[in-house]
Amino acid sequence: MTEKSGAEPAYKDYIGVFDSGVGGISVLHDLKRELPQENFLYYGDSANAPYGEKPIEKIRTLTMNSVDYLVSQGVKALVIACNTATSAAIPAIREKYEAAMPVIGVEPAIKPAAEAFPHGRILVMATPATLKLDKYTKLSKELAWEAEFVPVACTGLAGRIEKGNFDAPDMNALLEKLLGQYRGKVDAVVLGCTHYPFIRKQIQKVMGDIPLFDGGAGTARQLRRQLLNRGLLREGPQGVAGKCVLKSSLDTDAEIKLYHEMLQCIS
């Protein structure tokens, strides 16, 4: 998985985007929209997905292995497009690589939700690991005076999304089990896992016509700022889109086909 000594890196001038599986493709969509001329190399660790219910040390190890792979391919920047991986591993990733390149993580969009609904009641959907880690705890405490946050550990949901077929009855049943008790009792929902934007329609079927917030667009804007600050923005002909390569640790034709379908369905 590494380049031969002396060879030009395979993905020089690409932005590496990592997720535990398909979820980060929702962030990739926002990145492509914000930075259409950039080249992207997306890598999903679907062989080990989902991360959100694994031990924290295991998440850190898996994340760093995948990030090391992306760096070995020659990428000029890193986007950790996974809330769980960001929460568990971003300090170590920044310590290792931030001197050499921009390192961007995602976080639950609770601040924009609180700003939109001051003193409101906001449901935060996230993986069990994300809700346990310091990043979410610290952020929610800092904003506690602005709104009431209701964390919901959505056990099993990211893994179910990895399988596709979002309109199947079992998806609705799982969402009803996780969220049904909060219907009509909250003002907004934060999608605190990058898998969840793929099922916006299904979440609103359970919760009603309620605003949903995710961190993809904010992550894309932060990446633009970091690339600009370091003189790394790609220059190219206007109207000509950059390249986008999708790879997975579960390296099968069916999995790569699913990745492409997921990117198309959210575009």
Side-chain angles (χ1 to χ4, degrees):
M1 293 176 73
T2 58
E3 296 300 308
K4 293 180 181 179
S5 177
E8 182 77 4
Y11 295 99
K12 186 175 182 295
D13 196 40
Y14 279 62
I15 294 163
V17 183
F18 164 71
D19 181 68
S20 60
V22 303
I25 292 173
S26 67
V27 178
L28 177 63
H29 166 67
D30 288 311
L31 299 175
K32 283 165 54 65
R33 183 169 54 187
E34 178 72 23
L35 297 160
Q37 292 177 291
E38 294 289 346
N39 297 320
F40 293 95
L41 171 61
Y42 180 90
Y43 183 73
D45 189 16
S46 288
N48 293 297
Y51 280 14
E53 294 152 44
K54 295 185 186 300
I56 302 304
E57 284 306 317
K58 181 68 171 177
I59 296 168
R60 290 185 179 125
T61 299
L62 291 170
T63 298
M64 191 59 78
N65 288 344
S66 294
V67 167
D68 288 345
Y69 165 67
L70 284 170
V71 172
S72 79
Q73 299 301 291
V75 298
K76 67 178 182 181
L78 289 165
V79 177
I80 312 306
C82 174
N83 293 87
T84 299
T86 296
S87 298
I90 200 72
I93 296 168
R94 285 184 171 143
E95 182 179 0
K96 188 172 184 178
Y97 288 120
E98 196 166 44
M101 66 184 69
V103 176
I104 312 298
V106 296
E107 61 184 31
I110 66 175
K111 185 172 183 178
E115 289 172 348
F117 293 92
H119 309 297
R121 193 164 190 249
I122 298 167
L123 187 148
V124 182
M125 298 174 61
T127 67
T130 294
L131 295 176
K132 286 178 189 174
L133 286 157
D134 291 343
K135 193 171 186 67
Y136 169 75
T137 302
K138 182 179 177 182
L139 191 58
S140 61
K141 284 182 178 178
E142 287 174 356
L143 297 169
W145 63 275
E146 293 189 27
E148 177 189 355
F149 300 106
V150 182
V152 177
C154 294
T155 302
L157 186 55
R160 174 58 187 82
I161 292 168
E162 286 281 325
K163 298 176 182 177
N165 194 16
F166 305 142
D167 289 317
D170 69 306
M171 175 66 82
N172 185 73
L174 178 56
L175 289 171
E176 183 66 39
K177 176 183 175 182
L178 293 169
L179 306 177
Q181 63 185 300
Y182 303 104
R183 185 168 43 244
K185 298 177 182 177
V186 296
D187 299 298
V189 175
V190 170
L191 307 180
C193 170
T194 56
H195 283 72
Y196 302 164
F198 288 104
I199 55 166
R200 285 175 171 272
K201 180 181 71 173
Q202 290 80 7
I203 291 169
Q204 288 183 317
K205 182 178 178 182
V206 172
M207 294 297 293
D209 187 15
I210 187 170
L212 307 179
F213 293 82
D214 72 80
T219 302
R221 290 191 295 270
Q222 176 65 1
L223 175 61
R224 172 181 282 279
R225 286 190 290 268
Q226 291 284 339
L227 293 174
L228 184 61
N229 288 344
R230 297 203 188 200
L232 293 173
L233 273 176
R234 186 168 184 265
E235 308 245 348
Q238 288 295 325
V240 178
K243 298 175 183 177
C244 184
V245 177
L246 305 179
K247 294 193 173 191
S248 174
S249 60
L250 187 60
D251 191 16
T252 65
D253 291 342
E255 191 67 14
I256 299 304
K257 181 173 182 285
L258 175 63
Y259 278 31
H260 282 279
E261 288 172 352
M262 298 285 268
L263 185 56
Q264 288 300 314
C265 83
I266 202 165
S267 298

